[in-house]
Amino acid sequence: MASKGAGMSFSRKSYRLTSDAEKSRVTGIVQEKLLNDYLNRIFSCSDHAPPAATNRYGWEKMLDIYWLLRVCLQTIEHGDRTGSLFAFMPEFYLSVAINSYSALKNYFGPVHSMEELPGYEETLTRLAAILAKHFADTRIVGTDIRDSLMQALASYVCYPHSLRAVERIPEEQRIAMVRNLLAPYEQRPWAQTNWILVRLWRGCGFGYRYTRLPHLLKTKLEDANLPSLQKPCPSTLLQQHMADLLQQGPDVAPSFLNSVLNQLNWAFSEFIGMIQEIQQAAERLERNFVDSRQLKVCATCFDLSVSLLRVLEMTITLVPEIFLDWTRPTSEMLLRRLAQLLNQVLNRVTAERNLFDRVVTLRLPGLESVDHYPILVAVTGILVQLLVRGPASERERATSVLLADPCFQLRSICYLLGQPEPPAPGTALPAPDRKRFSLQSYVDYISADELAQVEQMLAHLTSASAQAAAASLPTSEEDLCPICYAHPISAVFQPCGHKSCKACINQHLMNNKDCFFCKATIVSVEDWEKGASTSTTSSAA
């Protein structure tokens, strides 16, 4: 290919790759200038032509772009096979491959579609293999191209035909891709990674079968091809790979889930802080405009919070033992952290005449996605999985942790069904007030079985909270954890002998091995109970 020279035209007819013999002769890297000239010629030949001419040449142009995509794929594959050569490959080839696929998918319908192209399934699978392998490739140092690869993979898993292409790549490549997606979120583009995981789950979660949120208008025709507006197409195959990987080794699941919980805490806290500023600006007497960029960031933080909750729902559904099997050293700590965050989200969103309600009522441009439904159904999906499904012992364990959290309010659970207060024991739920939020109002989005599970959860928590209140004994201040003042002291540190509750010390030891109080290095943590003479030791390493 390089022998043709920079001045020669780059023609699809001159360089058809139709036979294996011809493919085998293309062993070098195609010159960037030749590809660039050809790409410009494809998109400029009929840009200003009348509609009839555009339709007449539409199929030919589509074949040109398809051929260009295949040449770029072959060039990338050759560079990857040669190992070190890939490190020096211009980012241009990856960009052209991604853009060519996007053009084929978006610019030729409804007259032509990719299904008409010869060998399109094989081509989609080859592109899927490249995206799956190289979106986290350390040899690619350019930030822009790494972001482009991540975005292309996120778009790829939104469409059924391209998602099936990802499922057709070799198993070891699929597993490697999912392993990269489950790496801790710190110091990498975690938001885009999270979108990919969410799209593998969308269609399986609680009330998560919608294409567009219930409070938004119907999809415009020009928006129908947007990745976010595609019908749900979950991948049970990739979900199974995720479940298998999370059960491998003692550190994979804790490191991943702690990063998810950290990012959820950050995203929701940022969202609450921003809507406070927006509300303050709206209440000022002087004319005040909220910066559109601030509105966009606020909506993004809300969307991130919802997507992180959905990833947690997927994890709990696929591998519940990560949270509920307390023979695992990190399960109790993960469950307590999860319960704390769920209660915080519920309390912020469901409080009477709260900040969230006021901002939703404003319906500001840019905050269209901010509404009760997406975030409350995500939280409900997690709670139903913990408290309704699964063995009785695990349900009771989750119930005790949820009720023990000082932020728990039964009123927040009642809010989900439009009830201001908990129902009396043994009485039926009254009809929801139409002016209040209620999951019962979304019959087109939530099934009857799902609603029945929410009602079962409310009845269970009402009974359990009443029993806990009757059985609880007053705790003196000296017996409370000196860190959180919410739980009794239950752990003693060795060798210094200071004490706290298990939740506080377990969370602290994830990032720091020094004692809260004296800064001595903690060697082990022992169970502690007032008046008890025996204890159980666990290593702090």
Side-chain angles (χ1 to χ4, degrees):
M1 298 294 289
S3 64
K4 292 293 181 182
M8 298 194 65
S9 63
F10 197 50
S11 166
R12 175 172 60 87
K13 293 181 180 179
S14 302
Y15 293 93
R16 288 182 185 272
L17 304 178
T18 55
S19 67
D20 291 337
E22 289 172 330
K23 290 178 183 178
S24 65
R25 288 199 293 269
V26 183
T27 56
I29 298 296
V30 179
Q31 288 189 12
E32 178 177 338
K33 185 178 185 305
L34 295 182
L35 274 178
N36 214 0
D37 291 344
Y38 183 63
L39 186 63
N40 290 334
R41 184 170 65 80
I42 290 175
F43 284 101
S44 62
C45 65
S46 60
D47 286 347
H48 304 288
T54 303
N55 290 336
R56 187 186 315 150
Y57 295 107
W59 178 245
E60 280 296 312
K61 181 176 288 190
M62 191 175 189
L63 288 175
D64 283 343
I65 297 174
Y66 183 57
W67 176 86
L68 184 61
L69 170 61
R70 291 170 66 87
V71 168
C72 288
L73 293 180
Q74 186 164 336
T75 304
I76 296 167
E77 290 166 349
H78 171 73
D80 186 32
R81 286 194 300 271
T82 55
S84 60
L85 181 60
F86 187 84
F88 301 97
M89 177 181 291
E91 298 172 353
F92 175 82
Y93 300 100
L94 289 165
S95 298
V96 170
I98 294 170
N99 292 335
S100 298
Y101 166 72
S102 178
L104 291 170
K105 178 165 57 68
N106 297 321
Y107 297 156
F108 294 92
V111 178
H112 302 292
S113 68
M114 287 192 67
E115 285 80 357
E116 302 173 43
L117 295 168
Y120 90 99
E121 287 190 350
E122 178 208 357
T123 302
L124 287 183
T125 304
R126 291 169 62 195
L127 179 56
I130 288 172
L131 295 177
K133 182 175 182 179
H134 298 302
F135 82 96
D137 195 332
T138 56
R139 294 178 294 178
I140 301 176
V141 296
T143 303
D144 291 342
I145 191 62
R146 294 186 73 171
D147 288 346
S148 296
L149 286 167
M150 183 76 76
Q151 291 169 8
L153 182 59
S155 174
Y156 221 68
V157 297
C158 286
Y159 300 88
H161 58 280
S162 50
L163 177 60
R164 302 306 165 228
V166 175
E167 294 179 340
R168 288 195 299 269
I169 66 178
E171 182 178 3
E172 62 273 14
Q173 293 185 22
R174 295 196 307 267
I175 294 175
M177 179 191 75
V178 176
R179 182 179 289 109
N180 286 324
L181 291 173
L182 295 179
Y185 279 1
E186 287 78 8
Q187 299 180 348
R188 69 192 187 99
W190 61 269
Q192 295 171 355
T193 300
N194 199 72
W195 295 131
I196 296 173
L197 292 174
V198 166
R199 284 161 180 166
L200 300 179
W201 177 245
R202 187 178 173 192
C204 296
F206 183 95
Y208 200 36
R209 295 170 293 277
Y210 55 80
T211 299
R212 198 172 181 90
L213 289 170
H215 67 285
L216 297 180
L217 299 175
K218 293 182 179 180
T219 303
K220 298 178 182 178
L221 183 61
E222 59 269 25
D223 294 339
N225 286 328
L226 292 177
S228 60
L229 297 180
Q230 300 307 303
K231 291 182 179 180
C233 52
S235 173
T236 54
L237 177 61
L238 297 179
Q239 289 175 22
Q240 187 58 50
H241 289 331
M242 177 179 173
D244 294 340
L245 288 170
L246 287 174
Q247 295 182 81
Q248 290 180 3
D251 300 326
V252 177
S255 61
F256 169 69
L257 289 171
N258 276 302
S259 66
V260 173
L261 293 168
N262 289 340
Q263 299 301 343
L264 174 59
N265 183 47
W266 171 84
F268 190 72
S269 299
E270 287 292 309
F271 168 71
I272 293 299
M274 288 182 182
I275 63 174
Q276 288 174 343
E277 295 177 8
I278 292 170
Q279 176 64 21
Q280 291 169 2
E283 290 177 346
R284 295 192 186 110
L285 295 178
E286 65 272 18
R287 191 173 181 82
N288 215 337
F289 295 96
V290 181
D291 187 357
S292 60
R293 290 175 297 179
Q294 184 181 11
L295 293 175
K296 184 176 181 180
V297 173
C298 180
T300 300
C301 287
F302 178 80
D303 293 339
L304 285 173
S305 299
V306 173
S307 67
L308 287 162
L309 286 167
R310 287 298 186 181
V311 168
L312 288 169
E313 179 192 21
M314 173 170 61
T315 304
I316 292 171
T317 303
L318 296 175
V319 201
E321 57 268 25
I322 292 176
F323 291 89
L324 299 172
D325 180 6
W326 284 9
T327 60
R328 295 169 176 254
T330 59
S331 292
E332 181 180 359
M333 183 268 296
L334 288 172
L335 184 59
R336 293 190 184 280
R337 286 197 67 191
L338 177 64
Q340 182 183 43
L341 284 171
L342 293 180
N343 284 325
Q344 289 176 3
V345 172
L346 280 174
N347 293 343
R348 287 285 191 176
V349 176
T350 64
E352 293 291 336
R353 295 181 294 278
N354 65 359
L355 181 64
F356 186 86
D357 276 336
R358 292 197 293 271
V359 170
V360 168
T361 304
L362 290 175
R363 293 299 180 195
L364 297 173
L367 293 183
E368 292 87 357
S369 64
V370 177
D371 192 70
H372 293 83
Y373 181 86
I375 194 163
L376 287 182
V377 292
V379 172
T380 304
I382 297 174
L383 291 175
V384 165
Q385 184 63 39
L386 290 172
L387 304 174
V388 178
R389 303 166 186 165
S393 60
E394 294 182 353
R395 296 199 305 268
E396 292 304 318
R397 190 171 296 149
T399 301
S400 64
V401 169
L402 188 68
L403 296 181
D405 186 83
C407 295
F408 174 77
Q409 296 182 22
L410 186 59
R411 178 201 53 77
S412 296
I413 308 298
C414 298
Y415 184 96
L416 299 175
L417 293 174
Q419 309 303 327
E421 297 294 338
T427 61
L429 291 172
D433 184 350
R434 291 188 178 182
K435 296 181 180 179
R436 301 175 61 89
F437 173 86
S438 174
L439 295 177
Q440 295 169 319
S441 302
Y442 296 90
V443 292
D444 294 333
Y445 298 86
I446 300 176
S447 68
D449 289 341
E450 289 173 332
L451 282 176
Q453 290 173 344
V454 179
E455 294 175 359
Q456 181 182 346
M457 177 181 70
L458 176 57
H460 170 68
L461 288 176
T462 301
S463 174
S465 59
Q467 294 175 11
S472 62
L473 298 174
T475 303
S476 64
E477 185 173 342
E478 65 180 13
D479 293 331
L480 287 175
C481 171
I483 303 301
C484 64
Y485 286 96
H487 303 112
I489 293 174
S490 56
V492 58
F493 321 148
Q494 298 298 343
C496 64
H498 287 112
K499 305 178 185 69
S500 75
C501 68
K502 290 182 182 178
C504 286
I505 187 58
N506 285 341
Q507 185 169 346
H508 176 71
L509 287 175
M510 290 183 57
N511 302 308
N512 197 317
K513 303 301 181 184
D514 296 339
C515 174
F516 292 111
F517 309 100
C518 64
K519 305 304 179 184
T521 300
I522 298 175
V523 177
S524 64
V525 177
E526 299 179 357
D527 293 342
W528 184 87
E529 186 176 347
K530 190 174 182 179
S533 59
T534 58
S535 60
T536 302
T537 304
S538 62
S539 173

